[in-house]
Amino acid sequence: MQPVVPPTAETPRHAATVVLLRDTATGPEVLLLRRHAQASNMAGVYVFPGGKLDAEDSTLDAATHLDQPHTTLHASLNEPGTDGPTAAGLYVAALREALEECGLLLAEPLDAGATLDAGH
């Protein structure tokens, strides 16, 4: 299969993906989603959960919503050309997309004993 070349160059957008693996008795398992057969883009293809960075992903109050400061998340991303809030936003986007695309909430409350509500 030959790759489809777009007629004009596109500017890359920030996006994030979650790759989840687990060990089982029969070997490792990988979480993949299958895109709807009628999707306009990559119909029927197996993909990792993920998607583009939304503006809200980079504006969360780190002290309230994240367990690490922007600077730590930025350093672990290893993308020196990306600013700190965008780097932290990419982590948020990956987690948001996992929740939106497959109902998987990868979070825990900051306060021990508190409960989580995915609607907040």
Side-chain angles (χ1 to χ4, degrees), residues 74-93:
H74 183 244
S76 64
L77 189 61
N78 199 26
E79 292 284 342
T82 301
D83 63 80
T86 300
L90 289 169
Y91 283 92
V92 172

Side-chain angles (χ1 to χ4, degrees), residues 40-68:
S40 62
N41 185 20
M42 300 188 304
V45 172
Y46 288 93
V47 297
F48 297 110
K52 70 178 182 168
L53 177 70
D54 288 348
E56 298 82 21
D57 297 331
S58 298
T59 59
L60 285 179
D61 175 27
T64 304
H65 295 95
L66 302 172
D67 64 350
Q68 298 177 36

Side-chain angles (χ1 to χ4, degrees), residues 13-73:
R13 293 179 286 181
H14 290 289
T17 298
V18 177
V19 178
L20 291 172
L21 308 169
R22 71 176 174 188
D23 287 326
T24 68
T26 58
E29 293 181 343
V30 179
L31 176 68
L32 290 170
L33 306 173
R34 187 168 189 191
R35 292 183 52 84
H36 190 279
Q38 302 302 316
S40 62
N41 185 20
M42 300 188 304
V45 172
Y46 288 93
V47 297
F48 297 110
K52 70 178 182 168
L53 177 70
D54 288 348
E56 298 82 21
D57 297 331
S58 298
T59 59
L60 285 179
D61 175 27
T64 304
H65 295 95
L66 302 172
D67 64 350
Q68 298 177 36
H70 287 179
T71 54
T72 302
L73 294 171

